[in-house]
Tab-separated table of all heavy atoms in Angstrom:
chain	number	residue	atom	x	y	z
N	60	VAL	N	30.942	-19.184	-26.229
N	60	VAL	CA	30.291	-18.561	-27.377
N	60	VAL	C	30.132	-17.083	-27.049
N	60	VAL	O	29.487	-16.722	-26.069
N	60	VAL	CB	28.918	-19.197	-27.667
N	60	VAL	CG1	28.277	-18.540	-28.875
N	60	VAL	CG2	29.054	-20.693	-27.874
N	65	ARG	N	27.540	-8.095	-26.668
N	65	ARG	CA	26.920	-8.541	-25.421
N	65	ARG	C	27.990	-8.752	-24.374
N	65	ARG	O	29.084	-9.224	-24.665
N	65	ARG	CB	26.154	-9.841	-25.619
N	65	ARG	CG	24.891	-9.665	-26.388
N	65	ARG	CD	23.949	-10.782	-26.062
N	65	ARG	NE	22.734	-10.658	-26.875
N	65	ARG	CZ	21.815	-11.571	-26.939
N	65	ARG	NH1	21.956	-12.693	-26.279
N	65	ARG	NH2	20.742	-11.387	-27.685
N	69	GLN	N	28.087	-17.274	-23.466
N	69	GLN	CA	27.438	-18.569	-23.243
N	69	GLN	C	28.503	-19.646	-23.413
N	69	GLN	O	29.570	-19.403	-23.954
N	69	GLN	CB	26.326	-18.777	-24.275
N	69	GLN	CG	25.276	-17.718	-24.299
N	69	GLN	CD	24.116	-18.032	-23.380
N	69	GLN	OE1	24.053	-19.097	-22.781
N	69	GLN	NE2	23.202	-17.096	-23.277
N	70	ARG	N	28.180	-20.871	-22.958
N	70	ARG	CA	29.074	-22.009	-23.175
N	70	ARG	C	28.262	-23.123	-23.822
N	70	ARG	O	27.088	-23.293	-23.518
N	70	ARG	CB	29.703	-22.472	-21.878
N	70	ARG	CG	30.663	-21.411	-21.350
N	70	ARG	CD	31.403	-21.775	-20.099
N	70	ARG	NE	32.351	-22.852	-20.168
N	70	ARG	CZ	33.573	-22.795	-20.678
N	70	ARG	NH1	33.985	-21.676	-21.241
N	70	ARG	NH2	34.378	-23.818	-20.631
N	71	ILE	N	28.930	-23.864	-24.707
N	71	ILE	CA	28.260	-24.952	-25.410
N	71	ILE	C	29.229	-26.129	-25.538
N	71	ILE	O	30.423	-25.933	-25.751
N	71	ILE	CB	27.758	-24.473	-26.801
N	71	ILE	CG1	26.840	-25.486	-27.425
N	71	ILE	CG2	28.910	-24.147	-27.722
N	71	ILE	CD1	26.063	-24.939	-28.596
N	84	LYS	N	21.216	-24.677	-34.848
N	84	LYS	CA	19.950	-24.669	-34.113
N	84	LYS	C	20.171	-24.244	-32.661
N	84	LYS	O	19.382	-23.482	-32.103
N	84	LYS	CB	19.293	-26.045	-34.174
N	84	LYS	CG	18.730	-26.370	-35.537
N	84	LYS	CD	18.127	-27.756	-35.564
N	84	LYS	CE	17.624	-28.088	-36.955
N	84	LYS	NZ	17.074	-29.439	-37.027
N	85	ALA	N	21.249	-24.731	-32.058
N	85	ALA	CA	21.540	-24.358	-30.671
N	85	ALA	C	21.859	-22.869	-30.566
N	85	ALA	O	21.416	-22.193	-29.630
N	85	ALA	CB	22.701	-25.194	-30.134
N	86	LEU	N	22.635	-22.344	-31.525
N	86	LEU	CA	22.951	-20.910	-31.511
N	86	LEU	C	21.689	-20.078	-31.712
N	86	LEU	O	21.527	-19.023	-31.084
N	86	LEU	CB	23.991	-20.588	-32.588
N	86	LEU	CG	25.378	-21.193	-32.377
N	86	LEU	CD1	26.275	-20.900	-33.567
N	86	LEU	CD2	26.004	-20.698	-31.087
N	87	ARG	N	20.793	-20.538	-32.572
N	87	ARG	CA	19.524	-19.836	-32.793
N	87	ARG	C	18.726	-19.787	-31.493
N	87	ARG	O	18.184	-18.759	-31.111
N	87	ARG	CB	18.748	-20.532	-33.906
N	87	ARG	CG	17.304	-20.094	-34.124
N	87	ARG	CD	17.144	-18.659	-34.623
N	87	ARG	NE	17.714	-18.429	-35.901
N	87	ARG	CZ	17.039	-18.240	-37.025
N	87	ARG	NH1	15.731	-18.266	-37.008
N	87	ARG	NH2	17.669	-18.022	-38.145
N	88	ARG	N	18.659	-20.920	-30.793
N	88	ARG	CA	17.929	-20.951	-29.518
N	88	ARG	C	18.575	-20.036	-28.488
N	88	ARG	O	17.891	-19.375	-27.721
N	88	ARG	CB	17.858	-22.383	-28.984
N	88	ARG	CG	16.824	-23.243	-29.667
N	88	ARG	CD	16.607	-24.554	-28.924
N	88	ARG	NE	17.833	-25.336	-28.782
N	88	ARG	CZ	18.256	-26.241	-29.658
N	88	ARG	NH1	17.568	-26.466	-30.752
N	88	ARG	NH2	19.368	-26.903	-29.434
N	89	MET	N	19.905	-19.989	-28.464
N	89	MET	CA	20.615	-19.155	-27.476
N	89	MET	C	20.391	-17.670	-27.681
N	89	MET	O	20.165	-16.942	-26.727
N	89	MET	CB	22.131	-19.407	-27.575
N	89	MET	CG	22.645	-20.532	-26.810
N	89	MET	SD	24.452	-20.512	-26.997
N	89	MET	CE	24.817	-22.154	-26.522
N	90	PHE	N	20.512	-17.225	-28.930
N	90	PHE	CA	20.594	-15.791	-29.171
N	90	PHE	C	19.379	-15.174	-29.850
N	90	PHE	O	19.068	-14.023	-29.612
N	90	PHE	CB	21.847	-15.467	-29.990
N	90	PHE	CG	23.101	-15.830	-29.266
N	90	PHE	CD1	23.894	-16.866	-29.710
N	90	PHE	CD2	23.481	-15.144	-28.129
N	90	PHE	CE1	25.057	-17.212	-29.042
N	90	PHE	CE2	24.636	-15.486	-27.443
N	90	PHE	CZ	25.421	-16.515	-27.899
N	91	VAL	N	18.704	-15.900	-30.705
N	91	VAL	CA	17.590	-15.310	-31.458
N	91	VAL	C	16.262	-15.617	-30.782
N	91	VAL	O	15.506	-14.715	-30.450
N	91	VAL	CB	17.587	-15.797	-32.919
N	91	VAL	CG1	16.403	-15.224	-33.677
N	91	VAL	CG2	18.892	-15.419	-33.592
N	92	ASP	N	15.968	-16.888	-30.571
N	92	ASP	CA	14.692	-17.265	-29.980
N	92	ASP	C	14.563	-16.738	-28.561
N	92	ASP	O	13.485	-16.415	-28.109
N	92	ASP	CB	14.519	-18.787	-29.996
N	92	ASP	CG	14.378	-19.327	-31.404
N	92	ASP	OD1	14.143	-18.522	-32.326
N	92	ASP	OD2	14.507	-20.549	-31.582
N	93	ASP	N	15.672	-16.610	-27.859
N	93	ASP	CA	15.674	-16.074	-26.500
N	93	ASP	C	15.185	-14.624	-26.510
N	93	ASP	O	14.420	-14.216	-25.651
N	93	ASP	CB	17.089	-16.166	-25.912
N	93	ASP	CG	17.104	-15.809	-24.440
N	93	ASP	OD1	16.165	-16.209	-23.740
N	93	ASP	OD2	18.052	-15.134	-24.006
N	94	ASP	N	15.614	-13.850	-27.497
N	94	ASP	CA	15.205	-12.450	-27.602
N	94	ASP	C	13.735	-12.328	-27.986
N	94	ASP	O	13.048	-11.404	-27.584
N	94	ASP	CB	16.039	-11.708	-28.665
N	94	ASP	CG	17.485	-11.560	-28.225
N	94	ASP	OD1	17.761	-11.714	-27.019
N	94	ASP	OD2	18.331	-11.307	-29.105
Side-chain angles (χ1 to χ4, degrees):
V60 181
R65 288 204 183 171
Q69 303 269 355
R70 292 183 66 77
I71 191 166
K84 288 178 183 178
L86 294 175
R87 170 66 63 108
R88 282 191 302 270
M89 274 185 199
F90 297 112
V91 178
D92 293 346
D93 188 40
D94 292 342

